[in-house]
Amino acid sequence: MYAYIEERVMNVAEYIVEHEATVRAAASKFGISKSTVHHDMQVRLKGIDADMAERVRADLDVPMLVMT
């Protein structure tokens, strides 16, 4: 994997954990597609840092509250 991809994956993962961000928010912040964020967090991050992958998964698995 290219170094710039690994760097992006880690930066996005850290952002999601630190800000409890959604995939949509992370995509907007980094100027990449939601599909790219999803792929980075679900596939690439596991091979780079398995512990961080678990932390991100825990943050992204939190159900969203719907305001009515």
Side-chain angles (χ1 to χ4, degrees):
M1 184 179 321
Y2 292 109
Y4 77 93
I5 294 175
E6 287 186 15
E7 184 177 350
R8 180 191 69 218
V9 169
M10 289 306 299
N11 288 338
V12 172
E14 289 168 2
Y15 179 80
I16 289 172
V17 169
E18 289 174 12
H19 296 92
E20 297 180 359
T22 63
V23 169
R24 183 181 301 256
S28 178
K29 168 72 175 169
F30 289 91
I32 56 180
S33 72
K34 293 183 300 180
S35 297
T36 298
V37 172
H38 181 73
H39 185 75
D40 284 353
M41 297 304 103
Q42 294 297 311
V43 178
R44 292 184 175 123
L45 186 56
K46 289 178 186 175
I48 297 170
D49 187 337
D51 291 333
M52 178 63 87
E54 288 298 318
R55 291 173 62 196
V56 168
R57 182 78 265 150
D59 282 354
L60 294 178
D61 280 346
V62 174
M64 305 248 330
L65 296 176
V66 177
M67 304 298 285
T68 56

